[in-house]
Amino acid sequence: MPRSAALLLTLVAFSIARDPLSAQSTVATRDVTDTLRLYYVGYPVGYERYQISTNAAGIELRDDFDYSDRGRRTHLVATTQFDTRFSPRSLEIVRVTDSATTLEASVRVQARRATVIARDDTAVVTLPTNAFAIVGNTPFVQQMALVRYWLANGRPSTVAVVPGGPTNNVHVALRGSDTLNVNGKRTVFARYSIEGVVWGTHALWLDEAQRLAAIATAGGGGLSFDAVRLELDPLLPEFQARAAKDRVADLRRWTESIPVLAQGRVAFTGATIIDGTTAEPLRDATLVVDNGRIVAVGPRASIRIAAGTRTINATGKTIIPGLWDMHGHLMQVDWGPAYVGAGVTTARDMGNVLPFILPFRDAVHTGVGIGPQILLAGLIDGGGPRAFGAINATTPAEGRAAVQRYHELGFEQMKLYSLLTPEVVAAISSEAHRLGMTVTGHVPNSLSLTAAVDSGMDQVAHLQVRGVAGSDSVTRTIEYLRVHGTVLDPTASWGELLQHSTDQTVASFQPAVDLLPPVLYQRVSRMGGNVDTATANARQRNTLGIIKQLHDAGVPIVAGTDEGVPGASVHRELELYVAAGIPARDALRYATSVPAASMGLAYEVGTLQPGKRADLVVLD
C-alpha cells in the first residue's frame, strides 16, 4: 500500500459538517508562543517561532521565520499590530542577513487607507470593508491571523489583501474537521482552505484554541512549502494527505462542470495536420477517432466517414499532437486544467511531495480530474543540511532502497540531485535499469556531465553543457552526448525568466503573463536578475547557440519549463528553439514525438497515426 494511503488510515474521523469553533462568537485572544517546523519539498529546512500578545488595546504578533534551502538562508522577522478582532493596524517584515537588515514590506492602516511599501515601491490603497495585510505565503503565521480575522469578522466571502495589485481577493472557507491521535489523545483540528494568498488553494489547520497546527501544499506556482507545529511534526504526512484529498475534490468539481464536446466516433475535417513526424504538413485533411483511438488520417478526399460519425468542421484550423512538458513541478491541482487549456496533455513531474502528487496523478489517470497524463521522476539527493527533497541516500544500499520504493509507487524515472556521491549514483542507476526505469536529473556535484552519463544517467535536466557555443570543448561534449543517446531538457524558458535583466519586463517576451491570475502574475513578473540587458541577452544567445548545436548534432531534446508559467512556458520554450534557428517542425517534435520516445511511449502517443491514442490539440 502506498505510504500516503496507509497514513490516511490513521485519521480517526472526518466530518465536513462539524465546526469545532462554532460555539465561539469571537476569535480566541489568549497569549501564545509556538514553534513551527518548516518543510520545503518534504525536507526539513528550518523553524518559525512566533508569539501572540494581547492587551486591552489589541493584539501583537511577533514572528521569526528562518530556513535554509540548499544552503541559501532566508531569515525574516515580522511584527503585526491588530485590533481586538484581528483587523490589521500595521505590518512590517524585515529581511535579516549577517551584515544587514532591510525592509521587505510595510503596511500602515488608518481609516480604510493603507500605506504600502513593497520592494521599494510605495502606494496608498483604499481598502474595502473586509481587508487584511499579508505578504505572500510566508511567514506562515500571517495566514493563521488571516483565518482568525475571517472568523472574527463574520466569515466574509472575500477578503481584500495588501500588498496586491492594489489588492488581491482572498477566499477563506471551513472545509471540515479532522480528529487525530496526538500522543494518545484524540485532538480535533479545524481544516480551512485559503485561496488567493498564492496561486491556487492550500490548507491550514487550527486546534480548538485556534493555535496553528499545520499548513500544507502552499506552493503557489513554485515548489511546495509546508509547516507543522513542532510537537505535531510526526503528523505532517497526515495533514498533507488530507489537504490533497480536499484539492482533488476541488478538481473533481471543476471536471464535472466541463461539458463533453464529443465522444465515440468523431471526424475532424478540412484541417491542416502536423503529425509530429518529419513529414510535411497535410492540408485539407481528415482525422477520424473511434473511442479514443485514431483510426484514420489522410487527405479529406481519401477518407471515408462512416454513417453516424460526429463530424467537426476544422477548416482553417491546425491539428497537432498533444504537447508535453518534460520538466514540471505540479504543486497545485490548478496545474491540471491550466495545462490542458494550453494544449499540454502530458507532463513529467520532476520532484514533489508524495502525499500530494500520488492522489493528483491517480485522479487524472482515472478520469476523476481534468489534467495531462502525469509521469513521475522520483527525486533523490544526498544527505546533510544542503540536501533537497524528502528522500535522501548516502550509501548504495539506501539508493537502491529508494529506487525500489519509487518503483512500487509507479514512478517511471529516478531524478538525481546535486549531493549524491559517485558510488550512490551508480547504485541508483543500476537498480533503476534493473527495474525498467530510466534515470534523469541534475548532474551531481561529484561528477562531470560525461562521468554522470557513464554512471548510468539516460537523460539530463537543464542545459548542463558548459562553455561557449561552437567552441571545441562544447563540440566534444555534444558529440559524446550524441554517441550515448543522452536526452536533454534545456529549460531555456525557465532560464530566461530567472536570468533576464529586470530592466526588461517579463511581458515583453512572455505576453501571456498579463492574462494570469493576479498572484501568479505578481510572482512571475518579479523574476529576473540584477544584470544589464546587454549581458543577459548575450548569455541567452549563447544558450540558444548550444541548443542549436545539440539539434544539429542529433542529440534528443525535450521541452521542459520547471517552475514557469503553466502551459504558456511550453509555448515560449518552443519559440526559443525556433529563435535558435531550429525549424519549427522540429521544435514541435521536441514537445511531442521526441519526449514520447524518450519515455518509451512512442507506440501510444506523440504522433497522429492510426492505432495511437487520440492525444491531439486543435489550434486556431
Side-chain angles (χ1 to χ4, degrees), residues 246-435:
D246 257 5
R247 301 291 72 76
V248 168
D250 290 337
L251 184 63
R252 179 195 290 268
R253 284 192 291 273
W254 301 341
T255 304
E256 291 173 347
S257 71
I258 299 171
V260 174
L261 176 64
Q263 55 189 339
R265 193 171 180 91
V266 183
F268 298 88
T269 63
T272 294
I273 294 178
I274 302 174
D275 66 7
T277 71
T278 58
E280 292 290 328
L282 185 61
R283 305 189 188 281
D284 193 20
T286 292
L287 186 148
V288 182
V289 175
D290 192 3
N291 291 317
R293 294 276 167 182
I294 298 172
V295 295
V297 58
R300 175 154 50 174
S302 68
I303 301 295
R304 180 180 175 274
I305 301 176
T309 301
R310 167 74 185 277
T311 301
I312 297 175
N313 183 1
T315 301
K317 301 184 185 300
T318 301
I319 301 179
I320 63 172
L323 299 173
W324 289 54
D325 187 346
M326 283 288 281
H327 194 132
H329 295 277
L330 287 68
M331 297 294 178
Q332 293 276 1
V333 294
D334 307 59
W335 283 81
Y339 263 140
V340 171
V344 177
T345 58
T346 304
R348 178 176 66 177
D349 186 281
M350 293 284 276
N352 214 308
V353 289
L354 296 180
F356 172 75
I357 194 61
L358 293 175
F360 183 18
R361 175 199 62 182
D362 294 345
V364 171
H365 289 189
T366 58
V368 167
I370 189 170
Q373 174 181 225
I374 298 174
L375 308 177
L376 300 179
L379 176 61
I380 184 168
D381 199 5
R386 293 175 179 262
F388 183 56
I391 296 181
N392 302 153
T394 59
T395 67
E398 289 176 348
R400 286 188 290 269
V403 174
Q404 292 161 10
R405 181 182 179 197
Y406 277 125
H407 181 259
E408 291 169 357
L409 295 173
F411 280 63
E412 285 78 14
Q413 289 186 306
M414 295 300 299
K415 179 187 176 181
L416 308 183
Y417 214 72
S418 303
L419 301 182
L420 293 165
T421 61
E423 59 272 18
V424 176
V425 169
I428 291 170
S429 299
S430 176
E431 185 66 7
H433 293 156
R434 185 184 73 83
L435 294 172

Side-chain angles (χ1 to χ4, degrees), residues 171 185 290 535 581:
H171 305 281
K185 179 182 177 182
D290 192 3
T535 299

Side-chain angles (χ1 to χ4, degrees), residues 61 80-83 85-91 107 109 112 114 116 125 127-136 139-153 156 158-164 166-170 172 194 197:
L61 173 60
T80 313
Q81 304 287 341
F82 305 95
D83 68 12
R85 297 176 67 84
F86 270 93
S87 294
R89 293 171 173 166
S90 67
L91 165 66
V107 179
V109 179
R112 293 293 167 200
V116 181
V125 179
L127 301 176
T129 300
N130 297 302
F132 195 78
I134 185 170
V135 181
F140 284 121
V141 293
Q142 298 177 101
Q143 295 176 73
M144 174 192 67
L146 169 63
V147 173
R148 290 193 179 194
Y149 168 87
W150 181 77
L151 289 166
N153 289 274
T158 300
V159 178
V161 303
V162 289
T167 62
N168 293 331
N169 289 327
V170 171
V172 180
I194 301 176
V197 168

Side-chain angles (χ1 to χ4, degrees), residues 38-88:
L38 308 177
Y39 285 83
Y40 193 59
V41 197
Y43 193 73
V45 292
Y47 297 92
E48 181 173 3
R49 298 172 175 86
Y50 72 92
Q51 182 178 34
I52 297 175
S53 303
T54 63
N55 54 49
I59 302 164
E60 180 180 75
L61 173 60
R62 291 183 173 273
D63 183 80
D64 189 284
F65 179 85
D66 194 354
Y67 76 97
S68 181
D69 168 30
R70 290 162 284 184
R72 300 184 296 265
R73 186 183 182 194
T74 297
H75 185 192
L76 303 175
V77 176
T79 304
T80 313
Q81 304 287 341
F82 305 95
D83 68 12
T84 55
R85 297 176 67 84
F86 270 93
S87 294

Side-chain angles (χ1 to χ4, degrees), residues 428-450:
I428 291 170
S429 299
S430 176
E431 185 66 7
H433 293 156
R434 185 184 73 83
L435 294 172
M437 302 170 73
T438 50
V439 180
T440 187
H442 291 215
V443 173
N445 298 338
S446 61
L447 296 167
S448 66
L449 172 57
T450 55

